Amino acid sequence: MHPYKTIGLLSVSPLIHCSLNTSRLAPTLSYQSCPAPWLDFRSPGRSHLNQYPTRSGHSASSPSVLYRVGAAFSAKGRRFNTKQDLYSFEPSRQSIEKQPFTGKPASGQDAFFISSVGSSGSAAFGVADGVGGWDSSGIDSAHFSHALCRYLAKNAQGTTEEARLGARELLSQGFADVVADKEITGGGSTACVAVGNSTGHVEVANLGDSGFVQFRLNAVHHSSHPQTHAFNTPFQLSIIPPKILARSRIFGSMPLRDFPRDASVTNHEVRHGDVLLFATDGVWDNLSSNELLQIVGRYMTGFQAWQASDKGTIIGEELDKLTNKGGIPKEKEDTLQTLLAVGITGEAKAASQNSRRDGPFAKEVQKFYPHEEFHGGKVDDICVVVAVVVDASKG
């Protein structure tokens, strides 16, 4: 891949070499120099979450699968406070909160949301990462990412057609609300959004380089793939101010613009004891999936939520208790899912500040830009959402 240099926030030239900028780029590649795939504006189509058959023995009106969700976060340049920079979701509390909590300001440009889907047993959750490349134009993408997550939570909670709500539909609604918000004048954000129903089907819409991993019985069961236009230039939802559009035309270029219809949508069956990890690139740039498995496995086996047996790894009988409030004997992170989120955030934070250990981002830089001699972690905002799947019938 040719090295790229940002010219203001207008275009990118493949002919000019520059020193590496670890801040991700805003979508300003000239479309003339871009391969065709990301100009494929497909019609959105409807999601098929509601078309899955229910599990044997359970109807859609008789919820069985529960999603116990917690989050943790840490902005770059701030010390990670394990007692404050976390969130435990309680559906009963959501109805009295005036504004959905998204992590701001302690999460920086990263944001998250967790919400019930209407009055059903379904849940929606995910992360969004404001793209730092907009800073050079005086735009703080934190406003975009946090607004997006607030709208995602509100729309999920306020839906009256739970069975028809898919991850892409939810993302489309949230993005439309951000575009209509007059306080958001520009910026961009990646997003990884999930809707899980009570029969154990989870639909995920992932746009950009945030992502998720599904762990099952001490193994990586599934992991998402990042969407990028070029190195360190992720797919992103964006609002491009008129002045920047006008300048782009002067230079004969057209800023790249991605939409919810461009998100990668995948469907998954989850089981009792599965762990779903959603995170921004502050995690993926510093920890591999196998390293994350080691962290998750350490906590899950340590609390005997996963147990070794003659038949392999099995689910411990105390999983339901461990994921309920007070299930872990700690002051703040008192549920297994919140403890997992705090543990992963802490490990990613430490790795990002370790100059002697090359993480996934450093290895990618060395692959594409060997002359840069980039080593160590990548300092960035970090946001983690963890959902532990519990089958109520086994509680």
Side-chain angles (χ1 to χ4, degrees), residues 338-357:
T338 306
L339 186 62
L340 282 165
V342 169
I344 293 168
T345 300
E347 294 276 1
K349 186 82 170 183
S352 74
Q353 298 171 336
N354 188 338
S355 61
R356 297 183 178 181
R357 173 192 171 280

Side-chain angles (χ1 to χ4, degrees), residues 45 50 56 64 103 131 180 193 207 290 350:
N50 57 308
S56 177
S64 174
V131 177
V193 175
L207 188 137
N290 285 332

Side-chain angles (χ1 to χ4, degrees), residues 328-382:
I328 302 294
K330 285 182 172 287
E331 181 182 357
K332 295 294 184 181
E333 58 272 39
D334 61 353
T335 64
L336 181 57
Q337 59 271 19
T338 306
L339 186 62
L340 282 165
V342 169
I344 293 168
T345 300
E347 294 276 1
K349 186 82 170 183
S352 74
Q353 298 171 336
N354 188 338
S355 61
R356 297 183 178 181
R357 173 192 171 280
D358 289 346
F361 181 81
K363 293 175 182 178
E364 285 294 299
V365 174
Q366 293 162 14
K367 178 180 177 181
F368 292 108
Y369 302 92
H371 52 276
E372 294 289 349
E373 297 185 359
F374 185 94
H375 293 283
K378 181 192 174 189
V379 177
D380 201 353
D381 300 330
I382 296 168

Side-chain angles (χ1 to χ4, degrees), residues 2 15 25 28 40 46 153 160 185 189 221 236 240 336 370 390:
H2 296 289
L15 303 177
L25 299 179
T28 55
D40 176 18
R46 286 207 55 83
T160 57
T185 59
S189 177
H221 188 69
Q236 59 196 269
I240 303 176
L336 181 57
V390 176

Side-chain angles (χ1 to χ4, degrees), residues 140-380:
D140 184 359
S141 284
H143 300 304
F144 190 109
S145 60
H146 286 274
L148 177 63
C149 284
R150 285 197 302 272
Y151 287 125
L152 289 170
K154 285 185 175 181
N155 290 335
Q157 186 183 14
T159 187
T160 57
E161 297 183 3
E162 294 89 347
R164 298 178 63 85
L165 183 67
R168 180 181 280 157
E169 280 75 14
L170 181 59
L171 183 59
S172 295
Q173 293 171 12
F175 178 55
D177 288 337
V178 172
V179 172
D181 191 331
K182 294 182 179 180
E183 294 185 3
I184 311 299
T185 59
S189 177
T190 69
C192 188
V193 175
V195 177
N197 68 24
S198 58
T199 66
H201 286 98
V202 176
E203 183 173 270
V204 179
N206 185 46
L207 188 137
D209 58 3
S210 293
F212 84 105
V213 175
Q214 178 183 4
F215 301 101
R216 174 176 295 170
L217 298 176
N218 216 2
V220 175
H221 188 69
H222 179 86
S223 60
S224 61
H225 300 284
Q227 294 176 311
T228 59
H229 293 296
F231 178 75
N232 212 29
T233 308
F235 279 37
Q236 59 196 269
L237 303 174
S238 61
I239 296 176
I240 303 176
K243 289 184 178 180
I244 293 179
L245 283 173
R247 292 173 186 172
S248 298
R249 295 189 184 98
I250 293 174
F251 282 83
S253 64
M254 179 179 176
L256 293 171
R257 306 181 74 174
D258 303 305
F259 299 90
R261 64 187 174 218
D262 300 308
S264 171
V265 177
T266 55
N267 289 278
H268 311 271
E269 180 184 358
V270 296
R271 299 177 184 175
H272 184 62
D274 282 3
V275 176
L276 309 179
L277 165 62
F278 291 76
T280 56
D281 71 328
V283 171
W284 313 118
D285 284 343
N286 291 295
L287 297 172
S288 68
S289 293
N290 285 332
E291 289 170 325
L292 288 163
L293 174 61
Q294 293 176 18
I295 299 168
V296 171
R298 186 166 66 245
Y299 284 101
M300 293 294 284
T301 57
F303 286 95
Q304 297 189 344
W306 289 343
Q307 298 177 358
S309 72
D310 295 338
K311 298 181 180 180
T313 304
I314 61 173
I315 307 302
E317 295 181 357
E318 297 295 312
L319 181 64
D320 181 64
K321 178 181 177 181
L322 290 168
T323 55
N324 266 306
K325 185 174 177 59
I328 302 294
K330 285 182 172 287
E331 181 182 357
K332 295 294 184 181
E333 58 272 39
D334 61 353
T335 64
L336 181 57
Q337 59 271 19
T338 306
L339 186 62
L340 282 165
V342 169
I344 293 168
T345 300
E347 294 276 1
K349 186 82 170 183
S352 74
Q353 298 171 336
N354 188 338
S355 61
R356 297 183 178 181
R357 173 192 171 280
D358 289 346
F361 181 81
K363 293 175 182 178
E364 285 294 299
V365 174
Q366 293 162 14
K367 178 180 177 181
F368 292 108
Y369 302 92
H371 52 276
E372 294 289 349
E373 297 185 359
F374 185 94
H375 293 283
K378 181 192 174 189
V379 177
D380 201 353

